[in-house]
Amino acid sequence: MRVWNRHSRIVPVSSERVGALIDTLSTDDDRLWPVDAWPPLRFDRPLGAGAVGGHGPVRYSVESYEPGRSVRFRFTAPRGFDGFHEFTLRARGPEETELEHLMVLRLRHPAWFTYPLLWRPMHDALLEDGLDRAERELTGTVRAPARWSRYVRLLRNLISGNRSLRFKKNKVPPMSATAIR
C-alpha cells in the first residue's frame, strides 16, 4: 500500500521567516513542532544530515537538511514504514509563503493495519497542530484552528492511559452460577 499525505499552510510572511521556523526543529526553542500537545521532536545531535531521533515511538534519521529551506527525514520505525517525511517552503510572492509537510510511504506488514487505524489520524492531527503553531508564531493568530476529531481524542486518551475511558472493575455484578445455566 502506498501513502502520499500532504499538509500545508500559506502564511503572509517572507520565506526567510518561515525558513527560520524549520531551523528551530528539535531545539529547546522549537517554534514549529507542537510540543505543548505532542511528544517533542529530539535528535542525538543538532539538526543536520545523519542526525538520528524522532518523537514518541516514531523514529527516523535526517536524510537531508537545507537551512532555511527544507528538511527530510527517513523513517526507521514504526515497523512497516518505508519512506520519508519532510518540511519544505515555497515562496508564493515577496510576503507570502507556503509551508508544506509531505509524507510518502510504502507500507509493509504490520503497517497495512496500524497506519489507517492509528498512525494516520494521529499524524494528521499532529501536523495540523504544528501548522497552527507556525501560523501563530509568524502572524500572532490562527485563522482557522485545527480541531481533533472524536476518534483522535479517543486514541489519545487510550494511549495516555486516561482512566475515565476504561471499564470500572466490578461495575456490573458477576453472574451467579445458577444464572448461567
Side-chain angles (χ1 to χ4, degrees), residues 17-29:
R17 289 193 55 210
V18 177
L21 286 185
I22 292 173
D23 295 342
T24 69
L25 276 170
S26 80
T27 67
D28 290 338
D29 185 37

Side-chain angles (χ1 to χ4, degrees), residues 15-174:
S15 58
E16 290 78 22
R17 289 193 55 210
V18 177
L21 286 185
I22 292 173
D23 295 342
T24 69
L25 276 170
S26 80
T27 67
D28 290 338
D29 185 37
D30 192 326
R31 295 179 2 229
L32 176 55
W33 197 260
V35 294
D36 53 331
W38 298 93
L41 177 63
R42 294 287 179 238
F43 290 103
D44 64 345
R45 62 189 102 155
L47 189 62
V52 176
H55 58 93
V58 180
R59 314 311 294 162
Y60 35 82
S61 62
V62 178
E63 189 171 83
S64 64
Y65 173 51
E66 187 179 341
R69 302 278 317 151
S70 66
V71 61
R72 177 178 280 193
F73 309 99
R74 177 70 50 187
F75 284 101
T76 58
R79 209 169 115 224
F81 277 41
D82 182 17
F84 68 89
H85 71 108
E86 64 186 6
F87 284 99
T88 58
L89 59 88
R90 192 173 296 104
R92 297 173 57 96
E95 290 296 315
E96 189 174 73
T97 306
E98 182 177 15
L99 175 60
E100 176 186 77
H101 180 272
L102 177 64
M103 182 172 69
V104 177
L105 294 172
R106 193 179 112 252
L107 299 176
R108 293 174 283 120
H109 181 73
W112 296 322
F113 304 108
T114 59
Y115 177 78
L117 295 174
L118 173 68
W119 299 113
R120 181 178 180 153
M122 298 291 274
H123 169 266
D124 289 349
L126 181 150
L127 261 295
E128 289 302 317
D129 286 351
L131 293 173
D132 281 359
R133 181 167 185 173
E135 185 176 353
R136 188 175 301 103
E137 285 284 332
L138 295 165
T139 68
T141 188
V142 179
R143 194 172 15 92
R147 302 276 183 241
W148 291 347
S149 70
R150 285 183 179 166
Y151 187 62
V152 166
R153 288 192 310 268
L154 173 68
L155 288 173
R156 285 182 54 94
N157 282 325
L158 291 173
I159 290 167
S160 71
N162 185 339
R163 296 214 177 267
S164 66
L165 293 176
R166 297 199 175 172
F167 295 106
K168 305 281 187 218
K169 286 188 177 182
N170 298 327
K171 179 117 177 159
V172 177

